[in-house]
Amino acid sequence: MKISSRFSIAIHILMCIDVFKQDYKVTSEFIASSVNVNPVIIRNILGQLKEDGIVEVARGTGGAIIIKDYSSFTLLDIFNCVDSLENNTLFGFHGNPNPECPVGKNIHFVVDGYLEDSQKALEKQLAKTTFKELIEKMNKKL
Amino acid sequence: MKISSRFSIAIHILMCIDVFKQDYKVTSEFIASSVNVNPVIIRNILGQLKEDGIVEVARGTGGAIIIKDYSSFTLLDIFNCVDSLENNTLFGFHGNPNPECPVGKNIHFVVDGYLEDSQKALEKQLAKTTFKELIEKMNKKL
DNA sequence: CACTGATGTAATAATTGACATTACAATAAA
DNA sequence: TTTATTGTAATGTCAATTATTACATCAGTG
């Protein structure tokens, strides 16, 4: 089991937009050839990034730009933006524990809090890295 | 996307074994009726818990017991035991970023470390809760 | 104003993984 | 030998992910 690659693709998209913004019109086709997936995938994810006010996409004329300040959003924002989780819940849980059984009746009460804490630890760490940091690391490498 | 319910089922199984150990022979069928899934699912997960030395399962005669000290294993051990993740990697990554593109070529270098750190934060939190704690919380509730 | 190159989105298919279920050989005690 | 149970293979079903085709919509340009 894995978190969908929509997340890594979203990161890749944003980096492409920034890196090539001077020299190219960064279209879904252009990005798709760097990510190596179908342009429609890129358009869908760009659509979500747009809904969250991270990018602006030029309909008709084409091309995308980042409109949010680079230090004001993090990996967590990107992660949440592309709906990486259903119901914002990381851990799946078997559907119908038997309520006639003392364990089945109370398993959620006992376990849920620990799972939530663990998910929060993940989110907290994701929130530590701003997009600015990512871009700086990329630029240093280039 | 969610982490498989195998994890929550494994926790449920272990709690059943402990709670009913005095009064019943805790078979896969017995556990299955509390978890509300097919007994074969229980047997498979019990098999993994056995491989990791957490339980012992009596073949032929039937029934499972916990053989590992309750304070010596944590939610993380259970999580890893049931192969909740493929390749021990939480985050999926799109398969073939274009190596001709500067972004595609370096995206892994830039991003991987942050994703690993986030996964580690999750694991660290899971490792904080021992099975002993879980059982105590359950017993208090009963 | 028609043309061109994009985006937005729906529809469909292919692939994969999760979970359920049936079946049965192997086992261990009574 | 009988009985209850485990271990495991085989099969089926369902949902989610990703890929792909198609096309209406849009916004500049000649």
Side-chain angles (χ1 to χ4, degrees):
Chain A
M1 214 281 332
K2 280 199 181 316
I3 284 167
S4 160
S5 61
R6 295 175 68 81
F7 179 38
S8 65
I9 293 177
I11 299 169
H12 193 142
I13 289 172
L14 292 168
M15 292 208 161
C16 271
I17 296 176
D18 179 76
V19 168
F20 296 109
K21 65 177 183 248
Q22 273 101 21
D23 306 317
Y24 297 92
K25 180 171 69 165
V26 187
T27 66
S28 64
E29 192 105 18
F30 181 93
I31 300 169
S33 81
S34 170
V35 178
N36 240 325
V37 297
N38 194 287
V40 176
I41 306 286
I42 304 295
R43 285 183 213 138
N44 285 331
I45 295 177
L46 267 178
Q48 293 181 292
L49 292 167
K50 187 172 75 174
E51 274 178 34
D52 278 27
I54 296 175
V55 304
E56 214 165 66
V57 184
R59 178 149 203 192
T61 167
I65 56 172
I66 298 172
I67 57 175
K68 200 156 184 168
D69 184 82
Y70 286 14
S71 43
S72 77
F73 68 102
T74 67
L75 282 176
L76 179 60
D77 295 304
I78 302 171
F79 182 75
N80 288 331
C81 175
V82 296
D83 294 325
S84 297
L85 305 180
E86 299 162 47
N87 293 80
N88 274 334
T89 306
L90 176 61
F91 293 98
F93 212 103
H94 49 293
N96 302 305
N98 184 350
E100 311 280 309
C101 165
V103 175
K105 189 167 63 187
N106 295 306
I107 182 86
H108 270 291
F109 168 82
V110 173
V111 174
D112 284 359
Y114 297 111
L115 299 186
E116 281 163 24
D117 289 348
S118 302
Q119 180 177 339
K120 279 193 192 120
L122 174 74
E123 291 169 348
K124 195 172 159 194
Q125 182 63 39
L126 283 172
K128 280 184 185 161
T129 305
T130 64
F131 183 65
K132 180 154 176 272
E133 253 181 273
L134 284 180
I135 282 296
E136 280 167 359
K137 187 165 180 190
M138 176 61 85
N139 283 332
K140 207 171 293 174
K141 179 78 180 178
L142 296 180
Chain B
M1 215 284 328
K2 279 196 183 317
I3 284 168
S4 161
S5 61
R6 295 175 68 82
F7 179 39
S8 65
I9 293 177
I11 299 169
H12 193 142
I13 288 172
L14 292 169
M15 293 209 160
C16 271
I17 296 176
D18 179 76
V19 168
F20 295 111
K21 62 174 183 252
Q22 274 101 20
D23 306 319
Y24 297 91
K25 180 171 70 167
V26 187
T27 66
S28 65
E29 191 105 18
F30 181 95
I31 300 169
S33 81
S34 170
V35 178
N36 239 325
V37 297
N38 194 284
V40 175
I41 308 287
I42 305 295
R43 286 185 213 138
N44 284 331
I45 295 177
L46 267 178
Q48 292 181 291
L49 292 167
K50 187 170 75 171
E51 273 179 34
D52 278 27
I54 296 176
V55 304
E56 215 166 65
V57 184
R59 180 149 203 194
T61 165
I65 57 172
I66 298 172
I67 57 175
K68 199 157 186 170
D69 184 81
Y70 286 16
S71 43
S72 78
F73 68 102
T74 68
L75 283 176
L76 178 59
D77 296 304
I78 303 171
F79 183 76
N80 288 332
C81 176
V82 297
D83 294 325
S84 297
L85 306 178
E86 301 162 46
N87 292 83
N88 275 334
T89 307
L90 176 62
F91 294 98
F93 213 104
H94 50 294
N96 302 304
N98 184 350
E100 312 281 307
C101 165
V103 175
K105 188 168 62 188
N106 295 306
I107 182 85
H108 271 289
F109 168 81
V110 173
V111 173
D112 284 358
Y114 297 110
L115 299 186
E116 280 162 26
D117 288 348
S118 302
Q119 180 176 341
K120 279 195 191 115
L122 174 73
E123 291 169 348
K124 195 172 159 194
Q125 182 63 38
L126 283 172
K128 280 185 185 160
T129 306
T130 63
F131 183 63
K132 180 153 177 271
E133 255 183 272
L134 285 180
I135 283 294
E136 279 167 359
K137 188 166 180 189
M138 176 60 84
N139 284 331
K140 207 172 291 175
K141 179 77 177 179
L142 296 180

